[in-house]
Amino acid sequence: MKTVTMKFGGTSVGSPEAISNLVDIVKAEHDSGSRVIVVVSAMSGVTDSLLSAAKAAAVGNKWGYLSTSEKLRDRHEDTLNILMPPGRVREKTISQIKSLLDEFTEICHAVSILGEETPRIADAIVSYGERMSARVVAAVLKSKGIESTAFDAGDFLVTDDHFQSAIPVWEETQRRVNEKLIPAIMQGITPVITGFIGATSTGAITTLGRGGSDYSGAIFAAATDSAELVIWTDVDGVMTTDPRIDRRARVLPYVSYQEVGELAFYGAKVLHPKTVQPVLDKGIPIRVRNTFNPTYAGTLIGEMGEPSATIIKAVTSIRNISLLTVSGKGMIGVPGIAGRTFLATANAGASILMISQSSSEQSFCFLVADATAESVKHSIETHLHEEIARRDIDRVDVRDDVVIITAVGAGMAGTPGVAGRVFSVMGNSGINVLSIAQGSSECSISFVVAESDLEKAVIKLHDLALESVPN
Ligand code: ASP
Ligand code: MG
């Protein structure tokens, strides 16, 4: 008997209609003889509202978090009332939702008294979204005849204490999965596990970062040796580009782990970038499917780049980034300036999305999120003040009106001329390319253009992708 892990995102549990589709999907898989593990996000919008409630609490806005609590109670209760007949299970679940929200308001009270919200407290507060949705989904499944139990992921998923982007502790997680989760599945229970959250070994609640329930799905799929991980979402699959930029965007029937990793890193919103990590080693395929179009096969993500003429498969873009350029004639042949610049960047808490250096070594540039750009500049100026005083470095410039465009496709590796084609398309379209980088995996090419050129660059490059994707 095979086990299938199914992760349902926020919109896929966000309304009674969505949850009833979920029930049909899980039931069909279950009835075909699989064991199913369900991993859920919070209902759509709930994570954002919990985080704003925490902010409201920190500034003493009591009404802010109390009204959030009211709205969340109504939404979860209404969902249960619509989907389930009256009775013991429904009443019990409604009272569980109520006590979770009572805990939530108590924490908010404490925050409002202290006037401070730490990352640890934010994780505790935001965890209630998934904890409520898991209980609702398990109760509804039960009422439809599927033996189901809600679990808080902290029971199994042990992480470090890096609150808000915690890292799993694999051995301990595997041990707990073997001890507590596998036996439940063996007994015929369909577990409904909270996505996004985990706990430290001492029990403090952590989260894996925004959008992290995809990653949770992958962690549980790997730890239970699932035959497949299905990411149920609100689009038909991984697309050739963002359909809001180019309406000709199509669903890709197949992409490799590596390609989807690049796509996620470079701005496609399909999957949390860490999702492939846990399933990759075990070769567990991922399927991205649409809860609202469940007969559609979606996108299969697996081991190999498919042997086809497809060179550029998909085009993505990232907005809200800044280009930092460090320049100076005194940098030529001086080791360590780039290294210390990146260290200064890390100290400012920023991660680097792309780097490039010209061979003349008179400047190099890199990209960070807009929100961190000024503090990165400041940190570089502090760490390298001696070089700046000596004029080895002339300037640290920040440009925030830029975007990264990325073309992805495993077929690029070893195919000469792809970069040439990409940049002649840009040149012929009158688009100025500010900086270029290609990963050594040769699975993607990224470059920077002015924000005002974004649409044009994506559409022109997407022409190349469409040449080879079946209609
Ligand atoms: N609920 C969390 C978020 O909105 C995690 C997720 O949905 O993946 O970020
Ligand atoms: Mg998501």
Side-chain angles (χ1 to χ4, degrees), residues 7 9-10 41 210-214 233 269-272:
K7 178 262 171 175
S41 287
R210 290 307 305 268
S213 55
D214 296 334
T233 178
K269 293 257 157 27
V270 280
L271 277 186
H272 188 275

Side-chain angles (χ1 to χ4, degrees), residues 134-202:
R135 280 156 180 86
V136 169
V137 168
V140 176
L141 281 170
K142 221 178 204 161
S143 75
K144 308 290 179 194
I146 295 185
E147 202 39 60
S148 180
T149 309
F151 290 97
D152 287 343
D155 293 349
F156 316 118
L157 207 180
V158 182
T159 70
D160 68 2
D161 61 358
H162 204 284
F163 295 99
Q164 301 200 302
S165 54
I167 295 170
V169 179
W170 298 103
E171 306 72 43
E172 181 61 12
T173 299
Q174 185 68 62
R175 200 176 56 76
R176 294 200 192 179
V177 164
N178 293 347
E179 272 171 17
K180 294 195 233 161
L181 183 58
I182 308 266
I185 307 168
M186 291 303 172
Q187 279 170 34
I189 290 169
T190 298
V192 180
I193 311 172
T194 57
F196 183 46
I197 64 181
T200 63
S201 56
T202 55

